[in-house]
Every structure is written in structure tokens, then in C-alpha cells.
């Protein structure tokens, strides 16, 4: 079972994914957690225990640069899957080309690595949880393309693999803005150059709404949750956990 989260930047996707994975493991499920990599997103303990923020930022930046290279080398070691992985990336970028060549290259690399991770996840017999994946990638392409064209977005959504369960995370604009500003303070200057600015990030709100509407038209099941504080986080995790349990129950009845 593949579970995919999506939502605007700062909605709490990574925190939610970590918490949900921990809850499911406590219930005896085997869970693979596939996280997007944002070194500035540290746990509260890591932030408090860091006595040298500059050294931490340098270390985070090195990890951020090394990880994509390592994952691309892993893909290269499986030549039979390279064409499929790269093909998915090129298809999406052809449909929704970013206005910047640099972002085209970055997203092509990201989607290629994501395709490889998704292929591996689809061949497992347990839960694989992505804190963001193809729906989020389509949203990023729309944002960087600069044109919200429902026909093009529909073509992109039809071209991506389908998760067994989609979970949308939301938060009020003021909460998103506060979280994104906090994230920027934890980033080094170089890291900020690799991220979208605040106004651009907030424009993704309307794009997420558009994605949601188009996915629903296609009959896709989407759960809406919020993670504004610890209470709402745990409540949302409980709701998604119940939905996953119901899906497993239906699958077992179908197999019988």
C-alpha cells in the first residue's frame, strides 16, 4: 500500500509522515518512510542541542548535495529502469515546462529519483509512506511553469502513478507564512538560493486547490487533515490510521 501526502509548503507533511509511520509501526505494521530531504527541518531536540548553528548548516548543505548524487548513482546501477524513470520526468516537464532551465534540471533529477523509489515501493507487500511524491511534483511544476492550465494539469495527473491513499495537509495562510519564515531562519544563505521565496511558496495554495478538484473528478480518494498543534496532529494521525485499517480489512475480505 502506497500512501502519498501533498499540500502547500509548511503544511507539516514531513512531521505528519514521521508521526503516522511511528503510529503504524506501534500497531505492528511494516512501514517504509520515504522523506523529501530538507536539512533545515530538524526536530526540536536537534535544534536545542545544536551549539553551533553555522556548523549545522554547513553539514546540512553537504548532505543535501551528496544525497541526490548517491541516489542517481544507485539508479545508474539498474540500467533497465533508467529509461522508465527518466521518461516519467521528461514527460511531466514536457507537459509543464518550468520557466527556468535550472529548475527544469533539478525537477528532472528529482522526479527520476522519485520514480525509482516508487517502483521499488510498488513491489513491496507492506505500507510505503511518501511525505510528498508525484502529486506534489505536479504542483511544483505548475508553480514554476507560471500558468495554471487545468487541461495541462489534467494531462500531468493522468501521466503519474496512482497512490492507494492520498492525504492532503492544510493550514491557514498565516500559519504557513510563520512556518516558512522559521524554516528560512534555519537555512544557510546557499540553501535559500535553492528554495522558492515566500510569495512564490504561498501561491501554491490555489494550485493545491486545483489539484484537489481535478483528482476528485477522477474519482481519487483524498483525506483532508490539518496539523496545527500536537492535538490536531494526533487527531489527524488517528483518522488516517483508521482509513488504512479499513483498506487492509477490505483487501483481506477480497482475498478471501
Amino acid at each position: 500500500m502506497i500512501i502519498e501526502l501533498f499540500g502547500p509548503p509548511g503544511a507539516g507533511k514531513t512531521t505528519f509522515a514521521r508521526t503516522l509511520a511511528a503510529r503504524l509501526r506501534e500497531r505492528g505494521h511494516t512501514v517504509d518512510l520515504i522523506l523529501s530531504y530538507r536539512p533545515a527541518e530538524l526536530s526540536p531536540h536537534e535544534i536545542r542541542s545544536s551549539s553551533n548553528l553555522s556548523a549545522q548548516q554547513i553539514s546540512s548543505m553537504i548532505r543535501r548535495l551528496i544525497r541526490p548524487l548517491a541516489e542517481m548513482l544507485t539508479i545508474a546501477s539498474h540500467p533497465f529502469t533508467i529509461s522508465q524513470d527518466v521518461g516519467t520526468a521528461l514527460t511531466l516537464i514536457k507537459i509543464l515546462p518550468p520557466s527556468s532551465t535550472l529548475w527544469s534540471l533539478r525537477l528532472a533529477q528529482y522526479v527520476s529519483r522519485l520514480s525509482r523509489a516508487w517502483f521499488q515501493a510498488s513491489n513491496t507487500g507492506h505500507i510505503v509512506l511518501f511525505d510528498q511524491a508525484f502529486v506534489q511534483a505536479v504542483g511544483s511544476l505548475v508553480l514554476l511553469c507560471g500558468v495554471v492550465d487545468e487541461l495541462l494539469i489534467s494531462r500531468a495527473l493522468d501521466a503519474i502513478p496512482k497512490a492507494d491513499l492520498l492525504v492532503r495537509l492544510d493550514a491557514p495562510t498565516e500559519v504557513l507564512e510563520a512556518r516558512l519564515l522559521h524554516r528560512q531562519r534555519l537555512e544557510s544563505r546557499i540553501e535559500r538560493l535553492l528554495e522558492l521565496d515566500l510569495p512564490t511558496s504561498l501561491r501554491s495554495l490555489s494550485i493545491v486547490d486545483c489539484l484537489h478538484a481535478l483528482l476528485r473528478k477522477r474519482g481519487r480518494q483524498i483525506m483532508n487533515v490539518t496539523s496545527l498543534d500536537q492535538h490536531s496532529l494526533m487527531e489527524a494521525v488517528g483518522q488516517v490510521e483508521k482509513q488504512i485499517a479499513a483498506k487492509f480489512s477490505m483487501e483481506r475480505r477480497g482475498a478471501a
Side-chain angles (χ1 to χ4, degrees), residues 18 28 36-37 63 68 81 86 106 110 119-120 141 171 209 225 228 233 237 253:
R18 285 176 171 148
S36 56
Y37 194 59
R63 293 198 303 272
T81 64
V86 175
R106 288 187 64 192
Y110 169 72
F119 174 77
Q120 294 172 332
L141 284 167
D209 287 337
V225 297
L228 304 180
L233 170 62
V237 165
R253 287 200 298 270

Side-chain angles (χ1 to χ4, degrees), residues 128-158:
V128 183
L129 174 58
F130 288 82
D131 71 333
Q132 60 181 42
F134 283 102
V135 172
Q136 195 75 30
V138 171
S140 296
L141 284 167
V142 175
L143 186 63
L144 293 166
C145 178
V147 178
V148 182
D149 185 317
E150 289 194 6
L151 180 60
L152 294 178
I153 298 172
S154 296
R155 286 178 56 197
L157 291 175
D158 290 338

Side-chain angles (χ1 to χ4, degrees), residues 55-76:
Q56 188 181 69
Q57 289 172 335
I58 292 171
S59 175
S60 296
M61 191 63 200
I62 291 172
R63 293 198 303 272
R64 184 169 191 171
L65 293 174
I66 289 176
R67 182 187 175 190
L69 176 60
E71 292 181 351
M72 289 301 290
L73 288 174
T74 299
I75 292 174

